[in-house]
Amino acid sequence: MTQATFICADGSRRDVDVSMGINLMRAACDNGIEGIVGDCGGAMSCATCHVFVEDGFADRVGAMEPNENQILDFTAAGRQPNSRLACQIVMSEALHGIIVRIADPQV
Ligand code: FES
């Protein structure tokens, strides 16, 4: 089991336990984290799981696929250098303790 922290739009922090192999969009939805919509279920077509990866973890989440890179250009909150799609961040031991800030708005 790994842990991830979501920073919500109101600044509150939510720590959740996440099984390895589960992506952060699924973890957020399963734990009732507000602000992650995940309309497409992780198919990389909705951009409603937009997060900003906090310092220290940006290098650990791995390179993004061309599709993710493309869809991040269409996020409601606007893209930043540390933008990622939560559905593409799959938890592993290396990501234990990851902190992501939820983009606002998502739609
Ligand atoms: S859930 Fe749709 S792009 Fe991530």
Side-chain angles (χ1 to χ4, degrees):
M1 192 69 82
T2 60
Q3 188 179 62
T5 297
F6 293 89
I7 302 175
C8 302
D10 65 2
S12 63
R13 297 167 72 102
R14 288 278 313 275
D15 298 330
V16 298
D17 293 327
V18 188
S19 297
M20 286 207 270
I22 299 298
N23 69 62
L24 286 185
M25 179 278 291
R26 178 53 45 213
C29 291
D30 288 350
N31 286 279
I33 305 289
E34 279 190 37
I36 296 285
V37 181
D39 263 346
C40 74
M44 257 194 299
S45 61
C46 72
T48 63
C49 64
H50 182 198
V51 295
F52 305 110
V53 178
E54 295 294 293
D55 289 348
F57 286 94
D59 293 341
R60 294 193 226 169
V61 292
M64 65 177 78
E65 292 186 21
N67 271 3
E68 181 180 1
N69 190 31
Q70 201 168 29
I71 199 164
L72 282 169
D73 287 336
F74 300 97
T75 54
R79 183 177 189 162
Q80 296 182 12
N82 58 344
S83 287
R84 294 298 298 258
L85 297 176
C87 67
Q88 301 305 304
I89 301 175
V90 177
M91 288 303 286
S92 65
E93 198 66 51
L95 295 181
H96 177 69
I98 189 171
I99 302 170
V100 297
R101 187 163 44 86
I102 300 172
D104 180 49
Q106 290 284 359
V107 292

